[in-house]
Amino acid sequence: GQNIDQPTEMTATEGAIVQINCTYQTSGFNGLFWYQQHAGEAPTFLSYNVLDGLEEKGRFSSFLSRSKGYSYLLLKELQMKDSASYLCAVPDSNYQLIWGAGTKLIIKP
Amino acid sequence: GAVVSQHPSWVICKSGTSVKIECRSLDFQATTMFWYRQFPKQSLMLMATSNEGSKATYEQGVEKDKFLINHASLTLSTLTVTSAHPEDSSFYICSARDLEGREQYFGPGTRLTVT
């Protein structure tokens, strides 16, 4: 089967850096997605990793290690608007997304 | 980027009535659309996968006769909640996968409240 684990909640300070981890177990691997979801809204795409390594996109970076079944999302220069849930997801063999429970990120001034 | 719309964005209906939610891919063709449901403070739960021109594939525990899905074209899928009950009140989100099949683009969601 497939299983995805990520922390339930994290707290960070405005202007700081935070790393949200995600571990996964899949029978095959078709990449890993990170989505951001603000309360009451649909998820928005942040990143897609299929190869090992770090991919940087502005203040957000995503890292993948396929051998370890591990990914993290790195958020720099945190802003209050970054307060949201961050969802890790992996597609199964039919490309249906299997979702983690999400990490609620709380940003404090 | 690709845009997916949903209509309506919110709806309030009485128990026992039916509600139709539309999901449209505005600037791309989507052979596959997904319907999710999200209860407060919970993660997204896949309800069904909708393929253009064929019957939807429902996840375990989702009643296909209650949640009717029609994917009549490459840009439109509809979800009809039949005989709605208060426990069906939720946030319903659709997503569409482009022909390359890599990324899913999400609609803005429809908040359904059944009274």
Side-chain angles (χ1 to χ4, degrees), chain A residues 33 35 37 42 95-96 99-100, chain B residues 36 38 43 49 97 101-102 107:
Chain A
F33 291 85
Y35 283 86
Q37 187 179 27
Y95 266 86
Q96 292 176 357
W99 296 90
Chain B
Y36 295 88
Q38 186 176 35
S43 186
T49 302
R97 194 171 74 200
R102 193 187 78 173

Side-chain angles (χ1 to χ4, degrees), chain A residues 33 35 37 39-45 48 87 91 94-97 99-102 104, chain B residues 34 36 38 42-44 46 49 59 91 93 97 101-109 111:
Chain A
F33 291 85
Y35 283 86
Q37 187 179 27
E41 299 181 12
T44 54
F45 171 80
Y48 173 71
L87 303 164
N94 295 316
Y95 266 86
Q96 292 176 357
L97 288 180
W99 296 90
K104 183 178 181 181
Chain B
F34 302 91
Y36 295 88
Q38 186 176 35
Q42 295 185 22
S43 186
L44 293 168
L46 180 66
T49 302
E59 295 300 297
F91 192 42
I93 305 170
R97 194 171 74 200
R102 193 187 78 173
E103 186 177 333
Q104 287 189 26
Y105 303 95
F106 284 87
R111 186 161 300 284

Side-chain angles (χ1 to χ4, degrees), chain A residues 43-57:
Chain A
T44 54
F45 171 80
L46 290 179
S47 67
Y48 173 71
N49 293 66
V50 66
L51 299 176
D52 290 347
L54 184 69
E55 291 199 9
E56 298 185 68
K57 192 185 297 184

Side-chain angles (χ1 to χ4, degrees), chain B residues 16 22 25 31 43 48 51 53 58 66-67 70 84 86 93-94 96 98 107 115:
Chain B
E22 292 185 351
S25 56
T31 54
S43 186
N51 292 299
Y58 290 82
K66 180 173 180 63
F67 298 99
N70 183 277
I93 305 170
C94 76
D98 62 20
T115 61

Side-chain angles (χ1 to χ4, degrees), chain A residues 42-77:
Chain A
T44 54
F45 171 80
L46 290 179
S47 67
Y48 173 71
N49 293 66
V50 66
L51 299 176
D52 290 347
L54 184 69
E55 291 199 9
E56 298 185 68
K57 192 185 297 184
R59 293 189 300 115
F60 292 6
S61 303
S62 57
F63 171 84
L64 175 68
S65 169
R66 288 173 294 174
S67 62
K68 295 181 180 179
Y70 167 68
S71 173
Y72 67 72
L73 180 69
L74 190 71
L75 292 75
K76 302 177 183 176
E77 301 171 18

Side-chain angles (χ1 to χ4, degrees), chain B residues 68-94:
Chain B
L68 302 179
I69 291 173
N70 183 277
H71 193 156
S73 76
L74 286 172
T75 59
L76 173 65
S77 176
T78 61
L79 168 68
T80 301
V81 183
T82 62
S83 188
H85 289 103
E87 56 266 31
D88 297 325
S89 298
S90 186
F91 192 42
Y92 291 86
I93 305 170
C94 76

